[in-house]
Amino acid sequence: MNQRRAHRGRGRPRRSRAGLGLASVVVVLVLVVVSVAAAAAWSTGRLNHLVCGGPCGPEAVADPLALTRSDGLASTAQLEPAAGSVDADAVREAVSGALEDDDLGSRVGLSVMDPAAGEEVLRTGPATLVPASTTKVLTAAAALETIDPQQRFSTRVEREGQDVVLVGGGDPYLVTRRDDDSGYAARADLRTLAESTAEALAEAGVEQVRVGYDDSLFTGPAASSTWEDSYVPGQVVTPISALWTERGISNGVRTSEPARAAASTFATLLGRQGIDVDDDVDALDAPGTEPIAEAAGPTVAQAVESLLLSSNNEATEVIARHVAIARGEEASFEGGARAVADALREADVPLDGLELGDGSGLSRENRIDPTTLATIVSRAISGDAWPGVLSGLPVGAFSGSLAERFDGEASDGAGLVRAKTGTLTGVHSLAGYVTDARGVPLAFAVMVDDTRDLNALATQAALDDVAAALAACTCG
């Protein structure tokens, strides 16, 4: 044993303590550099393709530290309201100064709810206001209330003879091809569908086809009668359809015929698979046969999260139509509005004064009580219903439509406010929740709709100040 040790000692010179110390420092520095680089890559999303196989959805995104509870659970999970009641006087005092800001205009509505008690602790302002995109909170909650959150949207291909029909199933996030930029909710693509279709045709010995499309799942006009006449021709919104890719947008331009455009793209992709495809693409009735190929899109829960985060108007209108279908209503703007209202009414959400002309909030004829919005968020926080509403809300100064807000040096809302935004000319709103200085969650909705003559950015900042005041409050 001693001889072996001596032999090994002669063959391997002993390092000095100084040398070992220097080596240790170098190793530590290398590990630090690698860790910092990895953290930077993670924070900027450059590792998404490795971690998630593409864009990461809300369920894979860590909350900012300010939105993580003391027990380590992320705030996107069901929040557990702290024990004890919220002090209504403290809430009123906290927001009183912010509500007096002239940049909010003459019509300011605010509702603050205590989720633990399920009670409204403060309500000020008009009975109803124009909500803009906070209308999406209602549509999202109604969808989660009415439809199985795990249900997926399907685009299928049916065949009869040489007719191949692309049948729209109302997938709001169908894309031409999936890549890293497709987005969290893009789960189905036409390229893969064309490959599957070509394989099925080859097996059946079919070499030449005519491609048609069926977008009859939805009915009624493709643009709401309550929208501004300029919305569609002015490229504000795509005509609503049960069949499209990239929501009808190609190279930054919205098409006036999204279903035909999607079918034409599908025909081109099918041709690239070696199938002889007729040049003409027409609207055809689906033959009702067993699909020869099918593409499963996102779940309802994934679509709801995505539309809330990005405030996607077209996707929301599609979801409203699915609510209508599930409730036996006509899959139109009117049917969707009725279905959303009926679903929430049956869920005991207060709907005093509610008027809906669409599901997205583009309509200036929409009217919503701030209490309605705050109640939905409060119910989601308490775990009573619709947790998907919370996980889709943008985070102040971090994500979605709030990424560039609450980022001022004096803001108390960065990382503490999660809210759906609403913006039209002269109309601004926020509906979401904060955790106050003691970690007590407060649901709120603050709305203004008479600011056309004011600076829009100043109004948004004033609105943010109201939410930030709740975050800074010792209310619970």
Side-chain angles (χ1 to χ4, degrees):
M1 178 71 70
N2 291 337
Q3 288 178 346
R4 265 199 304 271
R5 286 178 178 171
H7 176 73
R8 291 173 63 185
R10 287 194 300 271
R12 186 175 298 172
R14 184 188 304 173
R15 295 180 181 178
S16 69
R17 291 184 179 179
L20 288 172
L22 178 60
S24 299
V25 170
V26 170
V27 170
V28 170
L29 288 175
V30 169
L31 290 175
V32 169
V33 171
V34 170
S35 298
V36 170
W42 172 269
S43 65
T44 58
R46 292 198 297 273
L47 297 181
N48 285 2
H49 66 289
L50 296 176
V51 178
C52 307
C56 291
E59 83 288 347
V61 179
D63 281 300
L65 291 179
L67 280 174
T68 303
R69 298 176 352 190
S70 59
D71 57 9
L73 296 177
S75 64
T76 49
Q78 173 183 322
L79 291 178
E80 182 178 343
S85 60
V86 172
D87 186 339
D89 290 337
V91 172
R92 184 179 297 276
E93 182 178 353
V95 299
S96 60
L99 288 176
E100 293 175 358
D101 194 321
D102 291 339
D103 286 321
L104 293 175
S106 61
R107 286 173 48 85
V108 186
L110 172 66
S111 172
V112 180
M113 301 280 297
D114 174 5
E119 297 177 351
E120 189 171 51
V121 295
L122 178 63
R123 175 66 174 89
T124 64
T128 62
L129 296 97
V130 180
S133 279
T134 49
T135 303
K136 293 179 175 70
V137 172
L138 275 67
T139 304
L144 296 172
E145 175 71 18
T146 304
I147 312 170
D148 179 357
Q150 298 310 307
Q151 176 178 317
R152 292 184 180 274
F153 306 102
S154 176
T155 305
R156 63 188 191 275
V157 179
E158 297 181 8
R159 169 184 163 247
E160 187 173 53
Q162 289 187 314
D163 285 344
V164 169
V165 183
L166 183 65
V167 184
D171 181 350
Y173 290 106
L174 180 68
V175 294
T176 300
R177 58 177 293 172
R178 287 189 63 188
D179 54 37
D180 290 348
D181 296 325
S182 296
Y184 161 63
R187 291 290 186 266
D189 66 281
L190 285 186
R191 185 180 66 170
T192 302
L193 189 60
E195 292 172 354
S196 300
T197 301
E199 291 176 5
L201 291 173
E203 290 178 5
V206 178
E207 299 178 352
Q208 183 177 12
V209 298
R210 176 179 66 154
V211 171
Y213 63 91
D214 186 333
D215 62 345
S216 62
L217 181 64
F218 298 163
T219 58
S224 173
S225 61
T226 67
W227 285 354
E228 300 288 332
D229 292 339
S230 61
Y231 279 176
V232 171
Q235 295 283 299
V236 173
V237 62
T238 303
I240 306 306
S241 173
L243 175 63
W244 58 28
T245 57
E246 287 82 27
R247 295 175 289 114
I249 304 172
S250 177
N251 296 320
V253 179
R254 287 180 163 85
T255 177
S256 60
E257 296 184 282
R260 183 182 295 276
S264 295
T265 299
F266 176 74
T268 299
L269 294 170
L270 193 57
R272 291 175 183 172
Q273 297 299 315
I275 303 297
D276 187 359
V277 182
D278 285 357
D279 292 337
D280 294 332
V281 173
D282 298 308
L284 297 174
D285 291 335
T289 58
E290 188 72 19
I292 62 172
E294 195 164 4
T299 65
V300 171
Q302 289 169 339
V304 164
E305 286 179 336
S306 186
L307 70 86
L308 287 174
L309 183 67
S310 63
S311 198
N312 191 302
N313 294 312
E314 291 95 348
T316 307
E317 296 300 346
V318 168
I319 295 299
R321 281 159 173 73
H322 282 292
V323 176
I325 292 170
R327 295 189 61 85
E329 291 277 2
E330 180 186 68
S332 63
F333 284 98
E334 294 79 6
R338 285 194 300 270
V340 166
D342 289 345
L344 297 177
R345 187 175 294 108
E346 291 178 8
D348 295 325
V349 175
L351 302 178
D352 293 347
L354 179 68
E355 296 179 24
L356 292 178
D358 67 7
S360 63
L362 283 174
S363 173
R364 287 183 173 275
E365 294 185 14
N366 289 358
R367 297 291 185 275
I368 298 179
D369 188 328
T371 300
T372 298
L373 289 163
T375 297
I376 291 173
V377 177
S378 178
R379 294 268 300 276
I381 291 172
S382 68
D384 185 36
W386 323 305
V389 169
L390 297 186
S391 57
L393 293 177
V395 182
F398 284 92
S399 65
S401 54
L402 285 183
E404 304 300 324
R405 295 172 62 171
F406 295 98
D407 58 354
E409 293 182 3
S411 177
D412 292 308
L416 291 173
V417 175
R418 295 199 71 155
K420 179 70 199 75
T421 57
T423 306
L424 291 170
T425 302
V427 176
H428 302 274
S429 54
L430 282 175
Y433 69 90
V434 302
T435 51
D436 78 349
R438 290 181 177 172
V440 177
L442 300 170
F444 73 93
V446 57
M447 310 167 69
V448 299
D449 64 3
D450 186 27
T451 63
R452 188 179 291 269
D453 296 329
L454 301 176
N455 182 291
L457 293 178
T459 297
Q460 286 184 350
L463 211 67
D464 295 350
D465 287 344
V466 175
L470 292 172
C473 171
T474 304
C475 298

